[in-house]
Amino acid sequence: MTGHTRVPRTEITGVYGAVLKRFSRKMFGQVPEALEVMWHHRQVLSTSMGMGRKAAKWHECDEDLKSYAHMAVAALVGCSFCLDLGYFQAHNNGLDEVKAQQVPRWRESDVFTPLERDVLEYAEAMSQTPPTVTDELSARLLARLGPPAMIELTVWIAFANQAARTNVALGIETEGLSASCGLAPMAQPSGTASRT
């Protein structure tokens, strides 16, 4: 944790704040710095959390694929908080930790299936400015996933970009959530220094 966010943290207060802190401690073992920053604008925080809760109820697309896609966005955008949170959630949700740990170096790793590699490529292509999604990649994914899962994956990746870019712009960085539950450090692409 850096403690040097671009917008200062503030104390989380009130009834809603007490509920939020209790939920955060239960889920993460601590109150993430991101919540203390976002507390300045409770409407934005509440809307963001509400979107996240609603999106978590979608089940047309495989949860592992969505997890890897979210982490690929975080790795590309440089959101160490999102990457750490994704790894932590993979552990807590019983997803494949070995694959989750390898997402930052997915192109060099041999643990991913062809479908997973296409999903990771799609997440990165959507996250470029401008997006670099090709008809060929979209067609491969559509053929394997079907329209409902393809739409879900696409919007999931868009939400991941919103979260990652918000955190990076606000200077919110990793807080060591994955380390707190004994997970191995995230893999790094060859020649890339660790950001944590």
Side-chain angles (χ1 to χ4, degrees):
M1 175 169 54
T2 65
H4 295 93
T5 57
R6 294 187 178 108
V7 172
R9 298 181 299 173
T10 190
E11 183 181 355
I12 299 174
T13 59
V15 175
Y16 175 57
V19 170
L20 183 64
K21 288 191 291 189
R22 184 172 48 238
F23 173 78
S24 296
R25 287 187 184 110
K26 181 178 179 184
M27 185 172 211
F28 307 117
Q30 64 190 47
V31 177
E33 185 177 56
L35 293 178
E36 295 172 323
V37 170
M38 296 301 288
W39 189 251
H40 284 288
H41 198 309
R42 290 178 202 131
Q43 234 179 344
V44 170
L45 174 62
S46 181
T47 298
S48 297
M49 290 176 61
M51 286 180 2
R53 282 191 304 274
K54 288 179 181 179
K57 294 178 183 177
W58 301 341
H59 295 294
E60 293 292 332
C61 186
D62 179 81
E63 295 300 316
D64 281 6
L65 295 178
K66 292 190 301 186
S67 178
Y68 305 150
H70 192 157
M71 293 175 70
V73 169
L76 182 73
V77 172
C79 182
S80 62
F81 177 80
C82 298
L83 198 54
D84 184 43
L85 177 61
Y87 191 26
F88 174 84
Q89 289 176 324
H91 169 75
N92 285 348
N93 295 336
L95 303 179
D96 190 324
E97 292 174 22
V98 172
K99 288 183 179 180
Q101 191 259 355
Q102 290 292 311
V103 168
R105 63 178 304 272
W106 71 268
R107 290 181 190 280
E108 304 164 20
S109 178
D110 61 1
V111 301
F112 297 102
T113 68
L115 174 59
E116 291 164 345
R117 296 178 77 73
D118 279 349
V119 166
L120 292 162
E121 183 179 346
Y122 187 66
E124 286 189 357
M126 275 189 64
S127 303
Q128 301 293 331
T129 303
T132 58
V133 175
T134 65
D135 290 342
E136 295 78 18
L137 177 58
S138 294
R140 285 197 311 267
L141 283 169
L142 183 60
R144 296 287 302 275
L145 299 175
M150 181 74 172
I151 291 168
E152 182 174 317
L153 177 65
T154 301
V155 176
W156 186 268
I157 292 167
F159 284 164
N161 265 278
Q162 177 186 344
R165 292 174 188 281
T166 297
N167 289 334
V168 169
L170 293 173
I172 295 168
E173 296 183 359
T174 185
E175 296 189 52
L177 296 172
S178 57
S180 71
C181 56
L183 290 169
M186 294 293 298
Q188 296 293 316
S190 297
T192 303
S194 174
R195 294 180 188 165
T196 56

